[in-house]
Amino acid sequence: MKSQKVRDLDNTELNRQLSEMDEQMFRLQFQMSMGQMDGLKKARAMRKTRARIYTVLREREIAGAKK
């Protein structure tokens, strides 16, 4: 997910996305531990998307504190 698409979502939607990604990451890590390396690129992309979401949420938190 691109950063502009992340910025267009509201906080509740971002939090919902994070919870879904946490569940998917758990499944992918379980699959990779079993020897299935098919999800390696997907896991990397998902970690980057999670970082983008956390960054946007933190930016909004800081902007809200300044007001």
Side-chain angles (χ1 to χ4, degrees), residues 25-64:
M25 282 295 291
F26 175 77
R27 282 193 226 119
L28 280 174
Q29 288 174 351
F30 184 73
Q31 288 176 355
M32 290 190 324
S33 70
M34 298 295 287
Q36 300 173 350
M37 295 303 286
D38 298 336
L40 185 60
K41 287 185 179 181
K42 188 173 183 179
R44 287 180 183 164
M46 200 174 303
R47 280 199 311 262
K48 289 180 181 181
T49 302
R50 286 179 64 214
R52 285 185 187 108
I53 291 173
Y54 279 124
T55 301
V56 169
L57 286 173
R58 181 68 178 145
E59 287 173 352
R60 290 179 184 174
E61 181 181 327
I62 291 171

Side-chain angles (χ1 to χ4, degrees), residues 4-48:
Q4 186 59 41
K5 191 173 181 182
V6 171
R7 291 183 192 281
D8 291 340
L9 299 174
D10 61 341
N11 288 348
T12 56
E13 182 65 26
L14 290 176
N15 287 324
R16 189 183 64 78
Q17 289 276 338
L18 280 174
S19 64
E20 288 177 8
M21 282 187 180
D22 287 339
E23 187 177 322
Q24 288 177 352
M25 282 295 291
F26 175 77
R27 282 193 226 119
L28 280 174
Q29 288 174 351
F30 184 73
Q31 288 176 355
M32 290 190 324
S33 70
M34 298 295 287
Q36 300 173 350
M37 295 303 286
D38 298 336
L40 185 60
K41 287 185 179 181
K42 188 173 183 179
R44 287 180 183 164
M46 200 174 303
R47 280 199 311 262
K48 289 180 181 181

